[in-house]
Amino acid sequence: MRVDLPIPFELSVPHVRWHTSWLEAAAEFAATGEFQHGSGLTPDGEPPFRPELPAWRPAELTDPGRFAAFIAHLRRLEDPGVVRPLALVPDTKLWLTRGEVYLGALSLRHELNEYLFEQGGHIGYSVRPSMRRRGLATATLQRALVLAGGLGLARVLVTCEGTNLGSAAVIERCGGVLEDVRGAMRRYWIDLPR
Ligand SMILES: CC(C)(COP(=O)(O)OP(=O)(O)OC[C@H]1O[C@@H](n2cnc3c(N)ncnc32)[C@H](O)[C@@H]1OP(=O)(O)O)[C@@H](O)C(=O)NCCC(=O)NCCS
């Protein structure tokens, strides 16, 4: 596996201290029309993943109280006692940050359900448009693989749409081996060191 040396960044537990920078990043995503994978947001025009769950849309998250509720929601997602009754898998949500600047999002699902096995995979990530092509996504996936090994996983599934050349390059740089293409999704497995 190639080890990139991107700009320094941390993987941080989501916190309201990044509200201003998070909103600036959300505006960048809105301008490009891209969805922020791994963020926990609900895609525009789509219902929540399950009808009984709240939707989290960037436009509402300008409100500090709503943003604080979003943060609390993200932090609860890795608690099996919270997510299992909702038929969700535990999911660690982390943010790429540098000081007070929000750089992007990472989602590490602790296991696969049927949807994740077919489409979503274990790991989702996004880098804000103004911070791309600096090796951040590659370094983030590399760090996520270490975290996945710490969860006891022997291998992880990482997927991307066939048109997402950037994400495919990131996955392949991190050792992804293409198993197949299901619908629009390329499905890669990465073996983790024991
Ligand atoms: C895909 C994404 C995460 C890449 O983030 P990034 O930080 O720019 O990625 P890296 O800098 O680690 O890129 C590594 C390599 O991938 C390739 N790459 C990255 N973006 C690319 C693009 N838009 N087109 C073609 N190749 C690209 C390049 O080979 C790049 O290396 P180089 O800059 O030395 O040429 C980012 O574009 C993004 O957040 N997109 C929207 C959300 C998304 O698609 N997430 C992935 C879901 S599967």
Side-chain angles (χ1 to χ4, degrees), residues 34-35 37 125-127 132-138 159-160 164-167 169-170 173:
E34 293 167 324
F35 179 63
H37 292 266
Y125 45 81
S126 50
V127 172
R132 292 189 184 159
R133 304 302 288 261
R134 293 168 163 85
L136 276 173
T138 305
T159 65
C160 67
N164 195 338
L165 301 181
S167 192
V170 167
R173 279 186 181 188

Side-chain angles (χ1 to χ4, degrees), residues 17-73:
R17 66 181 272 213
W18 286 289
H19 191 192
T20 302
S21 185
W22 187 94
L23 289 174
E24 290 164 0
E28 291 179 12
F29 278 98
T32 60
E34 293 167 324
F35 179 63
Q36 206 179 146
H37 292 266
S39 64
L41 292 167
T42 310
D44 278 336
E46 289 184 24
F49 197 65
R50 292 189 188 284
E52 66 272 26
L53 299 177
W56 300 100
R57 318 249 186 220
E60 301 161 0
L61 295 173
T62 52
D63 175 73
R66 183 79 177 143
F67 191 72
F70 176 55
I71 300 295
H73 160 76

Side-chain angles (χ1 to χ4, degrees), residues 49 109 112-121 157 185:
F49 197 65
R109 294 122 201 168
L112 300 176
N113 57 23
E114 192 179 339
Y115 165 75
L116 293 171
F117 182 78
E118 292 287 329
Q119 298 284 309
L157 179 69
M185 303 304 281

Side-chain angles (χ1 to χ4, degrees), residues 31-182:
T32 60
E34 293 167 324
F35 179 63
Q36 206 179 146
H37 292 266
S39 64
L41 292 167
T42 310
D44 278 336
E46 289 184 24
F49 197 65
R50 292 189 188 284
E52 66 272 26
L53 299 177
W56 300 100
R57 318 249 186 220
E60 301 161 0
L61 295 173
T62 52
D63 175 73
R66 183 79 177 143
F67 191 72
F70 176 55
I71 300 295
H73 160 76
L74 293 180
R75 289 178 170 199
R76 280 195 299 266
L77 289 176
E78 70 177 354
D79 181 345
V82 170
V83 297
R84 295 235 185 269
L86 299 168
L88 298 172
V89 302
D91 179 3
T92 301
K93 299 282 192 201
L94 295 171
W95 285 353
L96 290 59
T97 61
R98 186 180 193 196
E100 296 309 306
V101 181
Y102 170 91
L103 302 169
L106 168 68
S107 173
L108 170 59
R109 294 122 201 168
H110 300 198
E111 61 197 69
L112 300 176
N113 57 23
E114 192 179 339
Y115 165 75
L116 293 171
F117 182 78
E118 292 287 329
Q119 298 284 309
H122 282 99
I123 297 171
Y125 45 81
S126 50
V127 172
R128 66 189 286 180
S130 62
M131 297 304 291
R132 292 189 184 159
R133 304 302 288 261
R134 293 168 163 85
L136 276 173
T138 305
T140 297
L141 181 52
Q142 287 168 346
R143 291 191 198 182
L145 297 177
V146 174
L147 295 175
L151 293 174
L153 299 177
R155 61 180 195 152
V156 296
L157 179 69
V158 192
T159 65
C160 67
E161 291 194 8
T163 52
N164 195 338
L165 301 181
S167 192
V170 167
I171 297 167
E172 288 167 15
R173 279 186 181 188
C174 290
V177 176
L178 183 68
E179 180 176 74
D180 59 15
V181 181
R182 298 190 188 184

